[in-house]
């Protein structure tokens, strides 16, 4: 007979459950697949981010013997940010456990382990979608919660003003290469200054309409007409990417409702890929005695039992994280239409 004591076995310890979550398959998500965010495990609930205005200035020439120009020390600004918690739990009741019995080659423990694993996977799917949404908003420079309330406006946090949307009138757009260079590539490279690495590429995450209209642009189609690559115009590019004018344009696929995790149909987000430290994600430890002063992990899982009545057990999964864009001035926005 199964009793609540089975949850006291090592198979259901916080360590074992956390390891199981790390091994389980999560919903991928495009932002996660791009490996944009560098993981930064921390031991505290707060993260200190230092910013420094390292601007260049032109120095007036002078005669030998004249007073020397003294460079002012750049003052660093330190901003404290608080890590956020995302969590979800699934409750197994004693009534549900009545149906778990040993049969065939399976033991009661194995049956219960399978049940717990299924509950964990359901939670991790929801939380993975939540993480993708958080990262997607951070890529836009403004971290927002599930209800669209602002957690951190990184433009305001680091002392920048978000620029307006770049209008791409694809139906009438000519000299697209020059337009993209002047409005996307050069502004991003200049904003990065000396940290723009060789081999850096610029990615645009596009909504459905923006992506489709781009490929209908006359200059885009002209490139492939009357040559060996003309068949490319007939290829299925839905939720794929195309390279053109120095940018990788990606048809972003979010949740199936195209709203919970999504980019507006006529919108695009531009950002550089391959810039070290541009996007970082801090991980703090879960707030339990056993984890005090340890470095944070991406996920934590544990079981909380009803010790008074022994009627239920909650399978909990949580993460204490904060996606950060350290230089939001390099992020740009676009829209289709004039």
């Amino acid at each position: 007979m199964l009793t609540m004591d089975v949850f006291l076995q090592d198979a259901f310890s916080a360590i074992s459950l956390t390891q199981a979550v790390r091994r389980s398959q999560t919903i991928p998500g495009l932002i996660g697949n791009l490996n944009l965010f560098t993981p930064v495990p921390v031991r505290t609930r707060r993260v200190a981010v230092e910013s420094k205005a390292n601007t260049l200035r032109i120095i007036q020439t002078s005669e030998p013997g004249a007073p020397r120009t003294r460079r002012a020390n750049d003052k660093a600004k330190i901003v404290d940010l608080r890590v956020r918690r995302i969590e979800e739990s699934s409750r197994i009741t004693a009534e549900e456990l009545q149906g778990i019995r040993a049969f065939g080659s399976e033991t009661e423990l194995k049956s219960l382990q399978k049940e717990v694993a299924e509950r964990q996977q359901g939670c991790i799917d929801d939380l993975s979608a939540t993480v993708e949404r958080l990262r997607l908003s951070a890529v836009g420079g403004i971290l927002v919660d599930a209800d669209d309330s602002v957690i951190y406006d990184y433009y305001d946090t680091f002392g920048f003003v978000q620029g307006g949307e770049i209008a791409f009138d694809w139906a009438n757009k000519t000299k697209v290469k020059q337009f993209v260079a002047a409005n996307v590539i050069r502004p991003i490279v200049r904003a990065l200054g000396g940290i723009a690495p060789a081999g850096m590429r610029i990615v645009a995450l596009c909504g459905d309409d923006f992506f489709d209209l781009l490929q209908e642009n006359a200059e885009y189609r002209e490139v492939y007409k009357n040559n060996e690559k003309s068949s490319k115009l007939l290829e299925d590019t839905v939720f794929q990417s195309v390279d053109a004018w120095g940018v990788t344009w990606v048809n972003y696929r979010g949740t199936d409702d195209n709203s919970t995790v999504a980019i507006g149909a006529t919108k695009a987000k531009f950002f550089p890929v391959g810039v070290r430290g541009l996007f970082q994600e801090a991980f703090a430890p879960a707030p339990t005695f056993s984890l005090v002063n340890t470095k944070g992990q991406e996920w934590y899982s544990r079981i909380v039992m009803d010790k008074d009545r022994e009627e239920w057990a909650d399978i909990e999964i949580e993460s204490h994280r904060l996606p950060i864009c350290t230089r939001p001035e390099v992020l740009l926005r676009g829209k289709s239409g004039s």
Side-chain angles (χ1 to χ4, degrees):
M1 181 179 70
L2 255 179
T3 68
M4 295 295 283
D5 290 340
V6 72
F7 287 114
L8 300 178
Q9 298 191 45
D10 183 66
F12 301 115
S13 69
I15 294 176
S16 297
L17 291 171
T18 298
Q19 290 174 341
V21 169
R22 286 204 299 265
R23 290 193 299 267
S24 65
Q25 182 67 37
T26 61
I27 297 176
L30 178 62
I31 305 297
N33 287 341
L34 288 174
N35 294 317
L36 281 180
F37 289 83
T38 302
V40 183
V42 297
R43 301 178 189 272
T44 62
R45 318 302 302 162
R46 292 186 177 274
V47 182
V49 180
E50 182 182 71
S51 61
K52 202 171 185 178
N54 190 21
T55 55
L56 301 177
R57 60 179 182 144
I58 304 302
I59 300 173
Q60 180 71 26
T61 61
S62 59
E63 296 293 334
R68 294 182 178 274
T69 303
R70 189 178 301 277
R71 192 180 196 280
N73 292 328
D74 292 326
K75 294 184 178 179
K77 177 184 178 183
I78 296 179
V79 177
D80 281 336
L81 304 174
R82 189 169 182 83
V83 173
R84 310 290 290 194
R85 182 191 73 172
I86 59 173
E87 53 74 33
E88 191 172 58
S89 64
S90 179
R91 176 164 292 187
I92 297 178
T93 65
E95 186 65 25
E96 291 172 313
L97 294 183
Q98 294 293 333
I100 298 179
R101 289 291 184 270
F103 62 94
S105 62
E106 288 191 338
T107 66
E108 292 176 338
L109 177 59
K110 287 183 179 180
S111 296
L112 185 56
Q113 283 179 311
K114 182 178 179 181
E115 180 70 19
V116 169
E118 289 177 354
R119 300 298 183 97
Q120 280 186 317
Q121 190 61 55
C123 292
I124 203 69
D125 287 349
D126 291 343
L127 294 175
S128 294
T130 302
V131 169
E132 176 75 359
R133 192 177 193 274
L134 286 170
R135 288 172 172 170
L136 181 61
S137 66
V139 164
I142 301 176
L143 189 68
V144 298
D145 218 328
D147 61 357
D148 289 329
S149 61
V150 175
I151 300 174
Y152 285 114
D153 182 335
Y154 290 127
Y155 291 97
D156 183 64
T157 298
F158 297 121
F160 295 95
V161 177
Q162 185 181 31
E165 290 181 316
I166 305 164
F168 290 81
D169 186 5
W170 292 115
N172 302 306
K173 184 64 66 184
T174 59
K175 297 182 179 179
V176 182
K177 181 178 179 180
Q178 293 93 321
F179 181 86
V180 172
N183 291 276
V184 177
I185 299 175
R186 290 194 182 102
I188 289 178
V189 172
R190 284 173 173 152
L192 284 170
I195 70 168
M200 178 192 78
R201 63 190 177 105
I202 294 174
V203 170
L205 300 183
C206 310
D208 295 348
D209 293 349
F210 188 102
F211 188 74
D212 292 345
L213 290 171
L214 177 158
Q215 294 174 86
E216 291 301 317
N217 174 263
E219 287 191 18
Y220 180 89
R221 297 183 65 83
E222 190 65 30
V223 171
Y224 297 104
K225 284 183 178 179
N226 303 318
N227 62 44
E228 69 278 5
K229 295 182 179 180
S230 59
S231 61
K232 188 175 180 66
L233 295 174
L234 302 177
E235 291 180 2
D236 178 13
T237 58
V238 171
F239 300 134
Q240 302 296 317
S241 65
V242 296
D243 292 305
W245 310 299
V247 174
T248 299
W249 310 81
V250 182
N251 185 196
Y252 182 80
R253 181 177 184 176
T255 48
D256 289 340
D257 61 6
N258 203 25
S259 61
T260 304
V261 182
I263 289 179
T266 62
K267 307 294 185 180
K269 293 185 178 185
F270 298 89
F271 54 90
V273 174
V275 180
R276 185 177 181 182
L278 174 60
F279 296 107
Q280 301 184 38
E281 192 163 25
F283 295 104
T288 63
F289 285 112
S290 62
L291 297 172
V292 170
N293 290 328
T294 63
K295 286 189 175 182
Q297 299 181 39
E298 185 173 6
W299 299 106
Y300 291 96
S301 183
R302 60 187 170 186
I303 289 181
V304 177
M305 294 185 293
D306 175 12
K307 296 180 180 179
D308 295 326
R309 297 179 300 277
E310 296 187 345
E311 292 181 354
W312 50 261
D314 284 341
I315 294 89
E316 297 183 345
I317 297 182
E318 61 187 288
S319 181
H320 300 259
R321 64 173 69 208
L322 184 68
I324 305 169
C325 176
T326 60
R327 302 194 63 161
E329 70 271 28
V330 308
L331 309 177
L332 299 176
R333 300 178 296 159
K335 65 177 181 178
S336 58
S338 56

